[in-house]
Amino acid sequence: MTVTQTALIDAHAHLDFRQFDSDREAAIDRAREAEVVTIVNVGTDLASSRASIALADQYDTIYATVGFHPHDASKVGPSELDELRDLAARPKVVAIGEIGLDYYRDRSPRPAQRQAFADQLALAADLDLPVVVHSRDAHEDVEAILDEYDGVAILHSYSGGRQRLDRALAKGFYISISGPVTFRNAHRLREAVAAVPLDRLRVETDCPFLTPHPHRGKRNEPAYVRYVAIGVARARGVTPETVARATVDNSRRAFGLE
Ligand code: NI
């Protein structure tokens, strides 16, 4: 299968992370050359949210999200939520995230994670912004908390399997797919990818992490979202161009981009 030349959106990147300190601008150039027309840079705490906004202000092709990752949930108090609300009002901020629960690393106590998740969902609902959701080894609690939420949600780097899709799809959520779809042993994920309606799918890198085949083992970057699209296309038995076009439309709709 050839590499598609159709435009793509990387719906989830962390270009502000130190892994890009030596070549951030070059990575953004490579993405543009690879026809990645939009990159959504995702905040993980206040500093990273500010850095995401700074990147978005600097580059036409970049948009930002602001939020506290579950790893940093123990930092979230009333003043941090106020600050987040201010940052969310900036013109190129398109979502609250990434927020959610991570019971794999447990870097913040679980009650603090659940509280920060619920507080940020309330903020997003109040501001009428979509949310970018991180869920790792916490799918049941994430589902329970999202059951109370009525806005737009994007399940980032989806890993829930086929059987967990129904509830998310019934809520109208978007399913965002990353590099593991290209891994040889990812049969369960590909089965889920094949079951998502085309108008709910999105592709992302989560760079610098989750590097797709054939670059696995190296740092990930937005240009490689193309390999994710190819992996999704293979899982569904359609062309990469079909996936590219649909996921661009879906990401634009989910984030309210023009
Ligand atoms: Ni991320």
Side-chain angles (χ1 to χ4, degrees), residues 12 14 98 156 206:
H12 191 118
H14 299 286
E98 57 184 290
H156 134 70
D206 201 18

Side-chain angles (χ1 to χ4, degrees), residues 12-14 17 42 44 69 98 132 134 156-157 204 206-207 209:
H12 191 118
H14 299 286
F17 282 18
V42 171
T44 58
H69 192 284
E98 57 184 290
V132 176
H134 172 108
H156 134 70
S157 198
E204 61 172 58
D206 201 18
C207 64
F209 314 114

